[in-house]
Amino acid sequence: MHLEGTVRPRTLRQIAKRNDYPLPDDLESRYRFKDFRDFIEVFELRMGALKTHDDFRRVVVEYAAEAVSHGAVYLEAIFSPGLWRGLDQDEVFGGCCDGAQEARELHDVEVRLTPDLPGVYSPEEAEKIATVAVRYRERGVVGLGLVGTADGRANEPFARAFAIAREGGLGAVPHAGEVAGPASVRGALDVLRADRIRHGIRAEEDPGLVRELAARGTVLDVCPLSNLRLGVVASLADHPLPRLVAAGVRCSISTDDPAMFDTDLTREYDAATSFGLDPRSFYETGVAGALCDDDTRARLCQIAESYNWGS
């Protein structure tokens, strides 16, 4: 999930007031998005309220509490570095990392972090963020993401940033195959060497690519209700999730921007299992794709073994 998209209205307004950041009174009425561009405008409007170390710390802790109430035991949270907003990167990274530690202490949930590079960044800006991300690896940053590119050619300026991240021990978790088509998935695999792909569902349009994803064992982080709210699919019944699973593609279930899509982890799992799919398979796929240490992975596997999946 994107941390900026998890902030519920009450918290967002409190933070905005403290930072003297104007939010429209009718902000919630704008959550019926006309298209993806409209969504991005509202996302950026909300994101602008978050400025300080304490803002990012609070957002992590509050979402962790919400996620735990829906059964979450491990989260990989996405955040935007805010470079173009002039934010101090130590404020952003440090706030998120402090929030992850506090969430572990308060809610017994493991939180890892994956900064997202906007596709409008220059190669130099992307490499700067990758370098900072590596510096925070020991505090819970586990991967580097990318959002807003269409294909391999658009990904090429970011190849060096992802190489820096990889050399520093971080995974590659770019967005692809959501608004952009299968060429974006291909670019994520071939140019960025993706360990996991956020969304990825439009890979279905290329049968050869689907076969390759299945053979590689690449995990797709699928967000059914996000796809529905943004018009990526016309209806839930049209969602490619069951066809991807049937083809052998590994899929986990995520929430994307729950405060903006009126969703939560329970609703996303309900949507995914409405196709007759096994919830345990989604959990186990999530564990398989997680960018965590071996001890954490072993603990997550033990949770799966002890949980009553029939209830």
Side-chain angles (χ1 to χ4, degrees):
M1 96 300 297
H2 295 264
L3 285 169
E4 298 88 350
T6 70
V7 191
R8 299 296 176 177
R10 180 172 179 271
T11 296
L12 186 65
R13 293 191 184 284
Q14 289 176 350
I15 291 174
K17 182 177 181 180
R18 187 178 66 217
N19 290 335
D20 195 27
Y21 179 82
L23 285 175
D25 293 336
D26 64 343
L27 178 62
E28 290 86 343
S29 70
R30 293 193 58 184
Y31 292 170
R32 294 184 177 182
F33 307 108
K34 297 188 291 290
D35 50 32
F36 191 77
R37 182 182 294 275
D38 184 40
F39 162 72
I40 291 297
E41 289 178 359
V42 178
F43 183 90
E44 291 179 346
L45 176 64
R46 289 169 47 94
M47 182 171 61
L50 307 178
K51 298 181 179 182
T52 71
H53 172 282
D54 191 61
D55 297 341
F56 293 100
R57 179 203 60 78
R58 178 180 178 183
V59 168
V60 175
V61 174
E62 289 197 7
Y63 182 69
E66 175 183 326
V68 165
S69 75
H70 294 280
V73 292
Y74 176 89
L75 308 171
E76 283 187 14
I78 307 164
F79 66 92
S80 175
L83 200 60
W84 281 19
R85 295 196 288 127
L87 299 186
D88 183 309
Q89 293 307 294
D90 288 322
E91 288 275 299
V92 179
F93 279 77
C96 289
C97 291
D98 284 350
Q101 180 177 341
E102 188 174 342
R104 185 181 307 112
E105 294 168 353
L106 292 177
H107 306 300
D108 192 28
V109 61
E110 294 292 337
V111 181
R112 302 293 188 268
L113 299 159
T114 59
D116 234 0
L117 301 173
V120 291
Y121 275 12
S122 69
E124 293 76 19
E125 290 167 332
E127 290 159 25
K128 174 181 178 179
I129 296 303
T131 301
V132 176
V134 169
R135 181 154 52 87
Y136 277 86
R137 180 188 173 199
E138 297 304 317
R139 297 200 56 204
V141 174
V142 294
L144 185 68
L146 176 67
V147 63
T149 57
D151 53 31
R153 179 172 297 179
N155 286 341
E156 286 173 1
F158 301 96
R160 178 57 189 154
F162 276 84
I164 291 170
R166 190 177 307 108
E167 291 161 7
L170 304 183
V173 282
H175 287 66
E178 181 193 16
V179 176
S184 65
V185 178
R186 171 61 62 194
L189 293 172
D190 293 350
V191 179
L192 305 180
R193 296 171 56 187
D195 295 290
R196 210 172 71 236
I197 293 177
R198 268 83 186 245
H199 297 290
I201 61 170
R202 290 190 59 189
E204 185 192 33
E205 298 167 21
D206 182 340
L209 180 58
V210 170
R211 290 191 294 272
E212 182 172 343
L213 288 169
R216 286 173 177 250
T218 304
V219 173
L220 306 184
D221 294 335
V222 180
C223 310
L225 296 182
S226 165
N227 300 149
L228 181 62
R229 302 279 192 265
L230 290 179
V232 178
V233 295
S235 69
L236 188 60
D238 293 326
H239 202 284
L241 176 62
R243 298 185 293 276
L244 289 168
V245 171
V249 178
R250 306 174 84 177
C251 298
S252 68
I253 302 301
S254 299
T255 57
D256 207 9
D257 299 282
M260 302 180 70
F261 297 137
D262 187 28
T263 190
D264 52 48
L265 194 58
T266 297
R267 294 181 194 179
E268 295 292 343
Y269 261 81
D270 286 346
T273 56
S274 70
F275 298 108
L277 302 173
D278 178 13
R280 181 168 183 169
S281 70
F282 295 131
Y283 178 93
E284 291 178 341
T285 297
V287 174
L291 302 174
C292 61
D293 56 275
D294 291 341
D295 288 345
T296 299
R297 195 182 312 279
R299 175 172 171 258
L300 296 176
C301 290
Q302 289 172 355
I303 290 172
E305 289 300 321
S306 62
Y307 185 73
N308 181 6
W309 293 96
S311 63

